[in-house]
Amino acid sequence: MLFKVEMDVNVPPDVDPARFEQLKAAEKARFQELQRAGTWRHIWRVVGRYSNVSIFDVADNGELHDLLTGLPLYPFMDIRVTALCRHPSSIHEDDR
């Protein structure tokens, strides 16, 4: 199943900067692992904000939930999820 996921990262002012840098590095490593696996298919930065719009390809809602809540930056995120389905006019057969 495909999902559009919008993530806004909200960093509290009292977060230790060194700890936050560690979390960002862990988040990047996890993202790249999921991208290589084909699970995190696309990511786009939202201009001017600490936000992204991503496309995930997972088996079901539960898998997406577990994946998102396991992200290192999850405690700092506001997340919006939209389920997607293939448009009948799409020329891409892998849009399932």
Side-chain angles (χ1 to χ4, degrees):
M1 295 181 71
L2 294 178
F3 293 90
K4 177 181 84 167
V5 179
E6 299 172 69
M7 296 178 240
D8 299 317
V9 180
N10 302 298
V11 185
D14 60 343
V15 170
D16 175 53
R19 176 69 181 133
F20 193 68
E21 288 301 315
Q22 291 173 339
L23 288 171
K24 287 194 311 186
E27 181 88 9
K28 181 178 181 178
R30 180 68 175 134
F31 157 69
Q32 290 178 342
E33 174 186 334
L34 292 167
Q35 189 176 24
R36 283 186 201 94
T39 304
W40 199 324
R41 287 182 53 172
H42 302 282
I43 186 170
W44 295 274
R45 182 178 304 234
V46 177
V47 175
R49 296 182 12 212
Y50 195 166
S51 302
N52 74 71
V53 175
S54 294
I55 302 296
F56 286 84
D57 188 355
V58 294
D60 55 34
N61 298 349
E63 182 182 353
L64 181 63
H65 176 80
D66 292 345
L67 187 152
L68 293 174
T69 58
L71 292 174
L73 291 178
Y74 176 77
F76 305 106
M77 291 182 181
D78 291 323
I79 299 174
R80 291 169 304 287
V81 176
T82 304
L84 303 172
C85 64
R86 186 177 187 279
H87 193 283
S89 297
S90 176
I91 63 169
H92 301 286
E93 292 300 322
D94 67 340
D95 291 343
R96 41 189 157 87

